[in-house]
Amino acid sequence: MLPQAFTERMKKMLGEEFSEFLESCEGTKSQALRLNPLKGEGRRFLELSPFSLSPVPWEENGFYFEEEDRPGRHPYHEAGVYYIQEASAMAPAVFLEAQPGERILDLCAAPGGKSTQIAAAMKGKGILVCNEIHPGRAGILSENIERMGVRNAIVVSHSPDELLARFPEYFDRVLVDAPCSGEGMFRKNEEARTQWSPENVEMCAARQDEILDCAAGMLKEGGRLVYSTCTFAPEEDEGSVCRFRGRHPEFELAEPLRFSGMRRGNPLWCGQEDANGEIERTVRLWPHRLRGEGHFAAVLRKEKEAGGGRKSGRYGEEKGIPEKECKEYLSFQKQFLQAELAGVLVRFGEQLYLLPEGAPSLKGLRALRPGLHLGTLKKNRFEPAHGLALALGRKEAQRYVELGDLRQAVRYLGGETFATEEENGWCLLGIDGFTLGWGKAAGGIMKNHYPKGLRKNW
């Protein structure tokens, strides 16, 4: 059952289209996944795929799958070969147009679908800061960054105003997938329906204003800001954009590339005067017009003045540690990896991480994941992290062992050991060329180093 006040408002908004919209709300939701180019060529996955896939028009790596496919219960999922993500939710990161080598902020990033999509576009180059204010959700975000093999991301947990104080005009691009009333998720999420109220819509709209103001301050001159929600509420969509433009005349609305089924925003829903008709440049994704849930997006560009550009962070760049403080890792790298991994080494107790070159100082930053987790420094030895295994390609390890078939891969994910003829030492294990984790050969046995907390009984 849809809330009555919501239904009455949608009927006024949609007019003759309301019956189609209502029918779509009661229909079956589409399911999709997005291939991860950081884990290899998508073409090879498509050749091997056991699923029934059809393309998502606006995301080149996006594909719809059928309910019976269940891709979340396949070793490919644990290898980070794809991310299960609702199709409409892929659009905002497409509109962001992330480029390799840039500094990019995903301000409201959990659970990580859009962050990992941005990371794929960056191709491991540049600095991606993924923020989530709620620590529990930030932990989930960090896990997904790890599973997808992202090397150049820093996962932090701060309020937007705290980040603004550290990073004024620092980022080339900022994505604000704002917390919202979630009306676009009514079809797939019963909790979103039961928690909805007009008062909650107003509260979300006020919170979005605050978040957007902080995002604007962190964007460099000439930078690109994408604002998105998964709600139909005009107060949170066209209204939020109109209010933002009123407070920030240095921004203009850009016209993103539209795809079949995407509609323009409605200036009549703006809540205030839209003299230039810019609101029509915003994008609405309606569930009765395309295969996806409800979404809204706006692309905003910050004007660039002469001599303007991005600035350094409040504490400058992270300098890292000298090599003598991680000699165990350097020995491991020489023995078991094919090449040196570029970046800045940082240490927290026994844990060693690799930050991208030029990363901001971590001083005072609540970083759940300060770059790529390399592993644990122990006395006279180094134990590689699971995150490192997922970030490496099979050719980047001295020894890669292919798990023979799906059944053996499932047993490995469950924690089983197996016989091996490999020489003693660390081996990168995988299926169909996609890396899954570490094993350590010892006396004819491949000891299982898949993390106990991730093991599954399939």
Side-chain angles (χ1 to χ4, degrees), residues 57 59 111 127 159 208 257 338 348 390 395 426 438 449-450:
E59 166 55 67
I127 301 165
S159 65
Q208 289 153 6
L257 179 64
Q338 290 281 21
F348 294 87
L390 292 173
K395 295 181 180 179
W426 292 101
W438 295 106
H449 281 262
Y450 196 77

Side-chain angles (χ1 to χ4, degrees), residues 4-62:
Q4 182 177 354
F6 167 78
T7 303
E8 291 174 354
R9 189 199 70 206
M10 296 306 299
K11 191 171 184 178
K12 291 179 181 178
M13 289 173 62
L14 292 173
E16 295 179 354
E17 289 189 42
F18 177 71
S19 59
E20 292 180 74
F21 169 77
L22 193 60
E23 184 178 349
S24 74
C25 291
E26 298 169 351
T28 303
K29 64 181 184 293
S30 295
Q31 301 179 90
L33 58 80
R34 178 176 41 78
L35 300 186
N36 180 13
L38 299 178
K39 296 292 289 190
E41 293 184 7
R43 182 182 301 174
R44 190 161 63 87
F45 166 76
L46 295 176
E47 292 172 352
L48 297 167
S49 173
F51 313 129
S52 301
L53 303 177
S54 57
V56 173
W58 45 88
E59 166 55 67
E60 62 177 344
N61 294 308

Side-chain angles (χ1 to χ4, degrees), residues 224-284:
R224 189 179 183 92
L225 167 65
V226 171
Y227 170 72
S228 65
T229 73
C230 58
T231 191
F232 304 116
E235 300 95 320
E236 301 178 64
D237 294 344
E238 290 92 345
S240 281
V241 175
C242 274
R243 295 191 302 273
F244 177 80
R245 285 282 286 111
R247 300 190 303 273
H248 297 276
E250 72 276 18
F251 280 82
E252 64 176 0
L253 275 159
E255 182 82 62
L257 179 64
R258 296 174 193 277
F259 296 83
S260 177
M262 294 184 181
R263 296 293 188 87
R264 293 181 176 276
N266 191 330
L268 298 178
W269 299 337
C270 189
Q272 56 183 276
E273 185 178 358
D274 178 37
N276 298 324
E278 286 187 313
I279 290 301
E280 290 191 354
R281 299 175 190 169
T282 64
V283 181
R284 277 189 175 265

